């Protein structure tokens, strides 16, 4: 499986897992908050397998997520 497909699958999984609890919260602008959270987590999940850094996967994830 290509790295792009792995990134898309990981991004979708991370994004969906992140927004599921938001459906049960009382948020004033729910659609905007859910879209922002999904895009944030999708991009992190997509970039981790597609960024060629000489680090282990977990360290790459930390670096991408917190920069």
């Amino acid at each position: 499986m290509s790295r792009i497909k792995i990134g898309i699958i990981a991004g979708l999984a991370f994004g969906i897992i992140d927004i599921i609890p938001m459906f049960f919260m009382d948020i004033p602008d729910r659609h905007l908050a859910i879209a922002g959270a999904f895009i944030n987590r999708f991009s992190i999940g997509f970039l981790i397998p597609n960024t060629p850094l000489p680090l282990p996967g977990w360290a790459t994830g930390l670096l991408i997520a917190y920069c």
Side-chain angles (χ1 to χ4, degrees), residues 29-48:
D29 196 359
R30 180 176 300 194
H31 292 80
L32 185 63
I34 289 174
F38 181 80
I39 291 169
N40 183 352
R41 297 301 177 195
F42 178 85
S43 63
I44 291 170
F46 181 77
L47 286 175
I48 289 171

Side-chain angles (χ1 to χ4, degrees), residues 3 6 10-14 17 19 24-28 32 37-38 43 45 47 49 53 55 59 64 66-67:
R3 290 182 157 291
I6 292 171
L12 287 173
F14 294 154
I17 288 170
I19 66 169
F24 305 107
M25 295 179 185
D26 187 27
I27 303 170
L32 185 63
F38 181 80
S43 63
L47 286 175
L53 294 176
L55 300 170
I64 290 172
Y66 294 108
C67 286

